[in-house]
Amino acid sequence: MAFKLSLIFFTSFLLLHSCIARRNDLQEQQECNFDRLSALQPTSSVEAEGGRTEFWNPNNKEFRCAGVAFLKHTIRRRGLFVPSYTNSVLMVFVEEGRGFYGAVVPGCPETFQSPQEQNGDRPRDRHQRVHNFKKGDLLVIPAGVAHWMYNNGDQDLRVVVMFDTTNRANQLDNIPQRFFILGNPQGKQQGQQEQQLIQQFQGNSILKGFDAETLAQAFKMNRDMGSKLKGENVKEGHIITVEKELQVERPERQQQEEQSQQGEGQGQEQRKEHGNGLEETSCSVRMRVNLDNLDRADIFNPQAGHLISLNSHHLPILRDVQLSAERGHLRKNAIMGPFWVLNAHSIMYPTDGEARIQVVNNQGKQVFDERVEKGQLILVPQNFAVLIQAGNQGFRWVAFKTNDNAMITPIAGRASVFRGLPASILANILQISEEEASNLKYSNAETIMFSPQQRSPADKFVRMLI
């Protein structure tokens, strides 16, 4: 009898749990209808000695549905973002400035070493490779890989960071979490809202929770060093200022790496023939590419602008993290679209100028029609139709995409879906002649970026009369 009751209880529990899970799935689907989109601004910020971090609200419905989160670091001159790792894959776009960074990949050798001191008192320092970066670069940091960043330029360094919280590499929940390895990143007590963000987004040093005596034994150092490892009596904040210029062994000139990257394209076919050679190991995988290099442009229209796509064919690490990106530039009053992205959400971040962006869902409802400008974020859901028209200052943006090979379908222009339809279909649906349908199909010979329409003298005269 007791067994039957237990079985009934267990079966009822499973049914109840299934109903609750199904209801939660339905609620989640309803939440992700994207019936109204917004241009999003950072909602909070945290100051540090060497810079500041601005946060977009990670609980925003649009971000939560797309499985992403965003923040922006401003690192001042000689500012060092202390080493940390996250539960999410990161895509980092360098908006302004330059510097160098390191990513410590487990199991990889320390191939860079300092020169021998003349007196021989101090041993050579060995570390993993350090990479230069500059404005326009996109960096990909795998989940769980420790990394740091330093500003050695003469201006503030600004980077926009996307967390891919639903990436398969994340085995925790969908809340972005950062784990610091050293220092006292939380520093002094912040306001309540900032403190909550720090605890959720920034975290604290993982060594802080260990016993100082045991830490000292693990490193074979004295107890005072164990206390410092815990973050006691060290600089506060997640971005600190280095008193003197940071000295690490790295390529002397930025051009060396740029030339190396250009050469990689020429040697790509050779690397494929080598199979699993050294170039294809995780220790030498490329994590950076520049999106301001016009030689990479997939679309170039001198009157309208250009578009640079970055996918797993160009940067193989994107295949593992299932992400891609694009860099776009529209000239004054030029138009991109209408179009849709087949297989990815797109999150656009304007870097210069402004544009009117219109987004339409499958019901033909306009879910967004606003002017967006530098510093805002706009999520364009998968398959929603988009139309972008630049303002008088033109428009530049970077877009993060949730597929390693995101694909666009134009609705107008030379490569449009209209070109693939028989003219008779257009004629019957639109109730026009086949000649008019043919004219519609072939009316625009440009690809997806369209130059501003030139007004005829008659149009200008009419405008003057009005």
Side-chain angles (χ1 to χ4, degrees):
M1 184 69 178
F3 174 76
K4 288 183 178 179
L5 288 173
S6 299
L7 183 61
I8 292 170
F9 174 78
F10 181 69
T11 305
S12 301
F13 174 78
L14 286 179
L15 288 172
L16 177 63
H17 180 75
S18 176
C19 290
I20 292 173
R22 188 177 301 166
R23 185 179 64 190
N24 289 339
D25 288 343
L26 288 173
Q27 288 176 346
E28 191 70 23
Q29 288 174 6
Q30 290 171 358
E31 284 183 358
C32 294
N33 282 337
F34 298 113
D35 55 351
R36 190 64 191 167
L37 304 176
S38 304
L40 303 171
Q41 302 270 14
T43 55
S44 300
S45 65
V46 174
E47 294 287 340
E49 176 194 39
R52 68 197 296 255
T53 297
E54 301 169 80
F55 303 90
W56 279 266
N57 184 0
N59 296 316
N60 177 277
K61 182 186 77 171
E62 295 164 29
F63 287 161
R64 192 169 63 247
C65 290
V68 297
F70 280 85
L71 56 77
K72 181 177 178 179
H73 297 305
T74 300
I75 304 176
R76 302 188 188 102
R77 175 84 173 90
R78 296 202 312 274
L80 171 66
F81 189 92
V82 301
S84 64
Y85 59 92
T86 70
N87 66 326
S88 309
V89 174
L90 303 181
M91 292 189 83
V92 183
F93 179 73
V94 183
E95 184 180 0
E96 294 288 346
R98 64 181 175 87
F100 52 85
Y101 79 103
V104 184
V105 181
C108 295
E110 299 82 23
T111 55
F112 278 51
Q113 64 181 41
S114 63
Q116 181 69 47
E117 297 286 334
Q118 288 186 353
N119 53 21
D121 293 337
R122 197 174 77 178
R124 291 184 179 183
D125 178 44
R126 299 175 184 268
H127 55 78
Q128 289 192 18
R129 185 180 182 185
V130 176
H131 308 263
N132 295 319
F133 63 80
K134 64 177 182 178
K135 179 179 178 180
D137 277 357
L138 184 85
L139 320 178
V140 180
I141 310 292
V145 171
H147 56 278
W148 54 270
M149 185 172 288
Y150 178 70
N151 179 3
N152 70 333
D154 52 7
Q155 65 180 102
D156 285 352
L157 169 65
R158 293 187 175 87
V159 298
V160 181
V161 183
M162 185 188 84
F163 292 70
D164 181 17
T165 58
T166 55
N167 192 281
R168 63 187 178 187
N170 176 21
Q171 300 296 303
L172 302 177
D173 56 33
N174 291 341
I175 298 174
Q177 298 181 40
R178 186 180 291 276
F179 300 79
F180 285 95
I181 302 173
L182 288 168
N184 183 14
Q186 290 195 3
K188 298 176 182 178
Q189 291 297 315
Q190 309 279 337
Q192 184 176 0
Q193 185 179 14
E194 286 78 8
Q195 190 66 24
Q196 290 174 351
L197 267 171
I198 291 176
Q199 291 173 353
Q200 180 177 353
F201 236 133
Q202 286 289 91
N204 211 332
S205 170
I206 55 177
L207 299 184
K208 186 175 183 178
F210 293 114
D211 173 68
E213 188 77 34
T214 312
L215 274 178
Q217 293 178 23
F219 282 88
K220 298 192 181 300
M221 302 292 289
N222 57 38
R223 195 182 189 286
D224 181 60
M225 184 59 70
S227 298
K228 284 187 174 293
L229 288 170
K230 280 173 60 69
E232 299 173 8
N233 300 317
V234 298
K235 281 195 171 187
E236 297 177 338
H238 61 295
I239 306 173
I240 65 171
T241 301
V242 177
E243 299 302 330
K244 295 181 180 180
E245 194 68 56
L246 190 67
Q247 298 296 322
V248 297
E249 291 306 312
R250 61 192 179 90
E252 290 295 327
R253 293 181 299 176
Q254 187 87 22
Q255 290 84 347
Q256 290 178 348
E257 286 199 350
E258 291 172 3
Q259 291 170 1
S260 175
Q261 276 197 346
Q262 291 173 2
E264 284 174 3
Q266 300 172 356
Q268 190 172 8
E269 293 302 321
Q270 294 179 353
R271 287 202 299 272
K272 287 181 181 178
E273 294 174 2
H274 290 159
N276 293 323
L278 176 64
E279 295 89 348
E280 296 175 350
T281 68
S282 59
C283 296
S284 57
V285 65
R286 220 166 27 112
M287 299 182 183
R288 176 181 64 87
V289 70
N290 190 269
L291 293 181
D292 281 346
N293 183 355
L294 281 180
D295 289 340
R296 298 181 179 275
D298 300 280
I299 298 170
F300 183 81
N301 183 334
Q303 285 73 44
H306 67 265
L307 189 71
I308 299 173
S309 299
L310 178 68
N311 57 38
S312 56
H313 298 295
H314 310 116
L315 194 64
I317 191 175
L318 294 177
R319 185 177 299 110
D320 296 329
V321 301
Q322 291 291 294
L323 296 172
S324 57
E326 74 177 16
R327 180 77 159 134
H329 172 216
L330 283 174
R331 297 190 180 277
K332 175 181 176 181
N333 298 326
I335 291 175
M336 178 172 174
F339 66 93
W340 75 84
V341 180
L342 280 71
N343 53 355
H345 297 310
S346 300
I347 304 93
M348 296 179 64
Y349 177 81
T351 59
D352 293 285
E354 63 164 1
R356 180 189 177 189
I357 298 180
Q358 302 175 62
V359 183
V360 178
N361 67 8
N362 68 316
Q363 300 297 321
K365 177 185 175 183
Q366 194 176 73
V367 296
F368 186 83
D369 182 8
E370 294 181 22
R371 288 200 170 273
V372 296
E373 57 186 17
K374 181 176 180 178
Q376 295 180 315
L377 280 170
I378 169 68
L379 168 70
V380 180
Q382 175 190 5
N383 291 331
F384 281 42
V386 192
L387 183 63
I388 307 170
Q389 182 166 26
N392 291 328
Q393 304 301 318
F395 184 60
R396 291 180 185 268
W397 74 94
V398 61
F400 307 89
K401 301 190 176 186
T402 57
N403 189 295
D404 69 298
N405 189 23
M407 294 182 288
I408 288 176
T409 296
I411 301 174
R414 189 173 69 238
S416 73
V417 65
F418 273 36
R419 288 286 185 102
L421 294 174
S424 59
I425 290 181
L426 297 176
N428 279 278
I429 293 174
L430 300 177
Q431 293 294 287
I432 57 179
S433 68
E434 292 212 13
E435 183 181 356
E436 290 174 310
S438 181
N439 289 338
L440 176 64
K441 282 184 62 171
Y442 301 106
S443 61
N444 191 344
E446 296 175 296
T447 305
I448 192 174
M449 290 185 156
F450 311 135
S451 53
Q453 187 171 355
Q454 299 295 323
R455 297 186 182 276
S456 67
D459 290 335
K460 295 179 181 178
F461 180 71
V462 170
R463 287 176 61 85
M464 289 174 62
L465 292 178
I466 294 173

